[in-house]
Amino acid sequence: MADLVVGHTTPDSTRIWIRGDERYRWARVSLSADGEHRVASEPLKLLGEDDFTAVAPFTNLREETRYRVTARFASSLRGLEQDRSDQNAREGRLRTFPPPDAKASFSFLHGSCNLSIVSLTNLGSLALGALGTVTATESLKRKAHGSRRWKIALWMGDGLVSIIYRGLLLLQVVSFPFRWLRARLSKQSPPRWPKRSHKPSLVYGVFLIVYKLTGFKQKAPLLPNPYKKLNDVLQNGPSNGVDKDLPKEPPPEFMIHAGDQIYFDFPFPQQAPTDAAYRLAYKEAWFEDEQLRRFLSQCPQYMALDDHEIVDGFSTDGYVPKGRDPYEYLEPATQAYSEYVNSRHPTADDSLFYSFDYGTTRFFVMDTRTQRSDHSGEMIDPKQMCRFKE
């Protein structure tokens, strides 16, 4: 799945974040305005060590100009240069900022706590699956009242599930060398040797097969989606709801996400902190829902991280699950945050705090989490405080 997010924008520049996958390893991003002014990036090779993410920077753009953004992905450089059927494309749009001396009023969006609707829907599916398993287990515990057919059916079903389960385990063992070699070549974490567990019961086997086939994931969220409304606001401007004769307000210029873009620890607060787990949290939170994918590509997105991008209630000397060292969470969390978020921010030295301007209005986005100490009661280090005072 290929994706696009509009990043830091100025009067004459912007940064476009993209992600491919194991199939789409090459990309090119282009901007066009008025059907005439068009600029394109160099071909971008998307590396597995960066989880196939990259940023395309653009300069020398026109101020206060609306640009259409197009990112094209292909499996090879040759495929990118040609109009081939194996290409994939994502589109977005942005409006460059006004000059530094502009004093006109403007609006922007501000929010936090993006608990994925898709994740909530999947959690509901998991709960229903678990409830069904418990119900089936209890029913199988009931006496068969001497029915020989019922006992034979249970015996045959249990045997069939055992055969399927052993087949899945054998498939994992046979494919392990190939999966290990592919991970090593792409510089990803190597897979673990499959472990054999206890012989499955009929109910456990059915539960396992259903999970293997569906992952307990719905094709579409069942809950109402707030990003559908926000996409309409970006397209048409906010409705004032007071007087239809009043002039229509212009659409918001950008969005500030003030923490908790993902919930790494939901619904499994004890899960181990790995690069793959954090990366998966971003992909599930941002790109499984089409309305949110569209929203992230429709205007500049500025973000700050908080505890759930790391783990609930994180501090450098506080409690984390299973008595782990807090830095076991911080290091992979900031690595994934750098790949998915900070790479498109206006940071020159990889700091997680930054500033940007819109006309004469100045913004300073703080990092109040990664330096937080319960013992000292501080959450901003001296370097950030000095930059903020400047």
Side-chain angles (χ1 to χ4, degrees):
M1 179 186 295
D3 292 294
L4 179 155
V5 180
V6 179
H8 172 53
T9 301
T10 71
D12 61 357
S13 69
T14 191
R15 297 174 65 83
I16 306 299
W17 179 94
I18 56 172
R19 182 184 184 276
D21 54 28
E22 292 185 353
R23 178 183 180 186
Y24 298 112
R25 295 174 177 263
W26 287 87
R28 173 180 279 121
V29 183
S30 61
L31 305 182
S32 59
D34 305 326
E36 300 176 0
H37 182 59
R38 184 178 183 276
V39 291
S41 69
E42 295 295 324
L44 300 171
K45 186 175 182 179
L46 309 178
L47 303 177
E49 61 192 62
D50 299 320
D51 206 27
F52 307 104
T53 65
V55 172
F58 291 88
T59 57
N60 300 318
L61 304 180
R62 301 172 181 173
E63 61 187 32
E64 296 185 283
T65 301
R66 297 193 180 277
Y67 283 89
R68 179 182 177 184
V69 185
T70 303
R72 297 193 179 278
F73 299 82
S75 57
S76 65
L77 179 59
R78 178 179 297 180
L80 192 65
E81 301 293 344
Q82 302 173 358
D83 185 14
R84 291 173 41 164
S85 60
D86 65 346
Q87 284 191 347
N88 193 339
R90 291 292 297 176
E91 293 188 350
R93 62 189 179 92
L94 64 92
R95 181 176 182 268
T96 51
F97 288 0
D101 58 352
K103 296 183 179 180
S105 62
F106 66 97
S107 65
F108 64 93
L109 295 170
H110 180 276
S112 68
C113 307
N114 178 45
L115 183 56
S116 169
I117 290 177
V118 174
S119 295
L120 287 173
T121 301
N122 294 341
L123 182 64
S125 301
L126 178 61
L128 290 175
L131 178 62
T133 301
V134 172
T135 303
T137 303
E138 291 301 317
S139 67
L140 290 177
K141 289 180 180 178
R142 297 175 61 185
K143 294 182 179 180
H145 301 293
S147 173
R148 188 176 181 183
R149 291 182 180 180
W150 177 244
K151 293 180 180 179
I152 292 175
L154 286 180
W155 176 80
M156 292 179 62
D158 188 67
L160 178 62
V161 168
S162 181
I163 293 173
I164 295 175
Y165 180 80
R166 292 173 185 272
L168 292 173
L169 182 63
L170 179 62
L171 181 63
Q172 290 183 349
V173 172
V174 172
S175 65
F176 178 81
F178 303 98
R179 293 185 289 115
W180 184 90
L181 180 61
R182 184 175 64 180
R184 296 292 295 180
L185 292 176
S186 60
K187 297 182 179 180
Q188 295 180 328
S189 300
R192 295 181 178 180
W193 181 260
K195 295 182 179 180
R196 179 180 178 181
S197 62
H198 59 83
K199 180 182 176 181
S201 67
L202 175 61
V203 174
Y204 174 77
V206 172
F207 188 84
L208 175 66
I209 293 171
V210 172
Y211 176 76
K212 288 287 186 181
L213 293 176
T214 68
F216 295 116
K217 291 190 175 182
Q218 303 280 345
K219 292 184 178 180
L222 302 178
L223 301 173
N225 194 319
Y227 286 101
K228 184 176 182 181
K229 176 62 176 177
L230 289 179
N231 281 324
D232 182 64
V233 169
L234 289 179
Q235 184 72 32
N236 304 309
S239 173
N240 52 58
V242 178
D243 190 339
K244 294 182 179 180
D245 295 330
L246 290 175
K248 186 177 180 180
E249 297 179 37
E253 300 295 339
F254 55 88
M255 170 75 177
I256 293 180
H257 304 255
D260 295 340
Q261 273 66 250
I262 65 169
Y263 278 74
F264 165 76
D265 42 25
F266 177 86
F268 306 112
Q270 303 290 326
Q271 74 166 319
T274 64
D275 291 343
Y278 280 102
R279 288 166 171 172
L280 179 61
Y282 282 101
K283 285 176 279 195
E284 290 182 339
W286 288 3
F287 305 125
E288 288 190 345
D289 173 34
E290 182 58 34
Q291 291 293 336
L292 178 51
R293 292 178 72 201
R294 181 186 171 200
F295 176 79
L296 292 173
S297 67
Q298 297 300 303
C299 72
Q301 309 285 332
Y302 293 94
M303 299 184 177
L305 85 168
D306 200 16
D307 56 339
H308 290 288
E309 282 91 347
I310 308 173
V311 70
D312 186 26
F314 176 84
S315 67
T316 57
D317 54 4
Y319 167 81
V320 293
K322 294 189 175 181
R324 298 185 176 102
D325 188 305
Y327 286 90
E328 290 185 46
Y329 285 87
L330 184 60
E331 291 176 3
T334 52
Q335 173 64 29
Y337 187 79
S338 175
E339 295 166 348
Y340 277 80
V341 182
N342 209 44
S343 57
R344 52 183 161 78
H345 282 161
T347 53
D349 56 1
D350 295 328
S351 298
L352 300 183
F353 58 87
Y354 58 93
S355 62
F356 68 96
D357 302 338
Y358 186 92
T360 58
T361 306
R362 308 188 67 184
F363 293 84
F364 191 95
V365 181
M366 291 184 167
D367 166 23
T368 62
R369 182 57 64 175
T370 65
Q371 302 296 327
R372 183 178 297 226
S373 168
D374 292 344
H375 178 72
S376 67
E378 296 180 349
M379 59 183 180
I380 298 174
D381 65 350
K383 176 183 175 182
Q384 182 176 184
M385 182 60 75
C386 180
R387 191 78 60 85
F388 175 61
K389 288 180 178 180
E390 290 175 355

